[in-house]
């Protein structure tokens, strides 16, 4: 069993594993083992269970990195025995029993609230459809990725992975930050998640916090800074 952690990168809503492409390139160049599982974005419990199944198959320690909704996912997955640290990127940090909607309700809404699109989708075994939530394609660049290359944001806008609406009201089963070291990046120009929500969560988790003047997609806009924080976390948990 290796002492150097594997980095598991967990994407958020309205994005997919490719959002970490530049970060992965840098980490692989360091010789770091990396996995970027696709998150179903169907329910917090279900998404956490899937990512946890990936983590359990990894030999040795794991450093979890979560962006946006992925922060809520890693907060639950962190209860796995081989997880040694948590890194949050413009993310939600939930407490046990707390939901995304509950946390958001304590702070002023971001511009994202007026740009969401709700679409029914079929639910297997049920006559009632579920509701997919995505970002209006025309508003995606400004709200999600204002400082990212324009041509790239056009691609990201039409390749979103929606989040099931039910996930917003689902409470976190546990809060792994209560027993793990944590790091957090605040995207201070974020128009998707109110930066004060990020600050509140990181402070509550006693995370070592870095502020970056960035849009929500901080991994695309400032990959070098993101990699620096991940490297710092790796060095800390390895030591």
């Amino acid at each position: 069993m290796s002492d150097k952690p594997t980095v598991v990168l967990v994407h958020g809503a309205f994005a997919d594993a490719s959002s970490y492409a530049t970060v992965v390139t840098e980490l692989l160049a360091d010789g770091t083992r990396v996995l970027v599982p696709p998150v179903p974005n169907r329910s917090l419990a279900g998404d956490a269970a899937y990512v946890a199944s990936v983590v359990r198959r990894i030999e040795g320690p794991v450093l979890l990195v979560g962006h946006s909704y992925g922060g809520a996912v890693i907060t639950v997955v962190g209860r796995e025995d081989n997880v040694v640290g948590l890194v949050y990127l413009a993310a939600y940090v939930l407490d046990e029993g707390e939901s995304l909607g509950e946390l958001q309700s304590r702070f002023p809404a971001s511009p994202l609230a007026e740009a969401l699109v709700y679409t029914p989708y079929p639910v297997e075994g049920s006559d009632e459809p579920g509701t997919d939530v995505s970002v209006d394609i025309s508003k995606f660049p400004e709200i999600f990725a204002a400082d990212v290359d324009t041509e790239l944001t056009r691609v990201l806008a039409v390749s979103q992975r929606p989040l099931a609406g039910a996930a917003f009201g689902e409470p976190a089963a546990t809060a792994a930050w209560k027993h793990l070291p944590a790091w957090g990046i605040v995207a201070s120009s974020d128009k998707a998640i109110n930066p004060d929500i990020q600050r509140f969560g990181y402070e509550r988790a006693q995370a070592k916090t870095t502020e970056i003047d960035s849009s929500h997609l901080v991994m695309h806009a400032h990959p070098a800074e993101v990699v620096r924080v991940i490297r710092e976390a790796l060095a800390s948990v390895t030591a």
Side-chain angles (χ1 to χ4, degrees), residues 57-74:
R57 294 196 298 269
I58 296 172
E59 183 179 2
V62 168
L63 177 70
L64 290 173
V65 180
H67 173 247
S68 189
Y69 166 69
V73 175
I74 69 169

Side-chain angles (χ1 to χ4, degrees), residues 192-209:
I193 298 179
N194 184 331
D196 284 339
I197 294 177
Q198 301 168 40
R199 295 182 183 106
F200 171 81
Y202 300 165
E203 182 178 359
R204 183 167 62 178
Q206 298 184 2
K208 182 172 182 181
T209 301

